[in-house]
């Protein structure tokens, strides 16, 4: 039997980082438990109301956040607040698969467009790796906007 997977990020600002990855991946913030949100409702505002209603102090309301694939296929991504800074290079990164099946100049043009979109959302471009067939199709290394330490690729 296969297992469901959740990806967890440690972050200083879980809400901001979850919002970046929501937009980068086309995910959504789920609503609070037991709350039916209208289609046009802001789930983060609903969480603020919910946490206030159950008595969570305001300074503790940005300690966790999550996003989910609206189609239910991809993993849930969870963000938890941690006080410490990152001490070393990450051993895991996310590949944002923006150009599956494409090769050469066409692939890199799509990746550049995705890189531009993610930079507009707050990511930073680190470097471009040119295609080197047959083993490397080409990719762009980037970092997230919140901590600048989670590396990911437009691949």
């Amino acid at each position: 039997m296969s297992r469901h997977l959740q990806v967890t990020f440690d972050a200083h600002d879980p809400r901001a980082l979850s919002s970046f990855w929501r937009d980068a991946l086309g995910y959504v913030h789920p609503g609070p438990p037991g709350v039916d949100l209208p289609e046009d409702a802001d789930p983060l505002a609903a969480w603020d109301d919910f946490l206030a209603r159950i008595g969570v102090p305001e300074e503790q309301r940005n300690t966790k956040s999550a996003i989910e694939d609206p189609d239910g296929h991809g993993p849930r991504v969870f963000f938890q607040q941690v006080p410490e800074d990152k001490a070393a290079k990450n051993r895991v990164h996310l590949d944002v698969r923006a150009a599956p099946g494409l090769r050469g100049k066409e692939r890199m043009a799509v990746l550049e467009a995705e890189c531009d979109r993610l930079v507009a959302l707050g990511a930073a471009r680190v470097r471009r790796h040119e295609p080197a067939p047959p083993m490397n199709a080409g990719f762009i290394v980037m970092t997230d906007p919140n901590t600048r330490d989670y590396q990911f690729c437009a691949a």
Side-chain angles (χ1 to χ4, degrees):
M1 179 166 89
S2 67
R3 302 286 187 256
H4 291 276
L5 174 70
Q6 173 174 284
V7 177
T8 300
F9 283 95
D10 291 345
H12 289 287
D13 185 348
R15 184 179 193 141
L17 193 55
S18 70
S19 294
F20 168 78
W21 282 107
R22 175 201 62 209
D23 294 344
L25 300 175
Y27 272 40
V28 296
H29 284 106
V35 175
D36 289 323
L37 294 179
E39 207 168 300
D40 61 342
D42 176 1
L44 293 176
W47 271 104
D48 288 339
D49 294 342
F50 175 80
L51 294 171
R53 194 169 57 252
I54 65 170
V56 174
E58 190 169 345
E59 66 274 5
Q60 294 177 13
R61 295 183 194 163
N62 189 25
T63 60
K64 297 171 180 54
S65 189
I67 57 173
E68 297 174 348
D69 178 353
D71 299 324
H73 301 295
R76 181 175 190 263
V77 184
F78 180 71
F79 304 84
Q80 62 187 1
Q81 190 175 56
V82 296
E84 69 272 3
D85 289 328
K86 185 183 83 142
K89 182 184 184 303
N90 291 324
R91 297 183 60 102
V92 175
H93 65 268
L94 302 180
D95 291 336
V96 178
R97 304 289 310 264
L102 298 179
R103 299 277 181 240
K105 290 180 183 179
E106 182 182 15
R107 173 184 175 78
M108 296 312 291
V110 169
L111 295 185
E112 287 292 347
E114 180 67 356
C115 179
D116 290 345
R117 184 182 80 83
L118 296 171
V119 165
L121 292 173
R125 180 189 183 115
V126 176
R127 67 185 159 277
R128 175 176 161 149
H129 291 261
E130 295 300 325
M135 298 304 287
N136 179 350
F139 58 95
I140 301 171
V141 177
M142 306 181 76
T143 62
D144 74 53
N146 186 243
T147 57
R148 296 281 186 225
D149 65 358
Y150 290 108
Q151 288 194 350
F152 66 98
C153 299

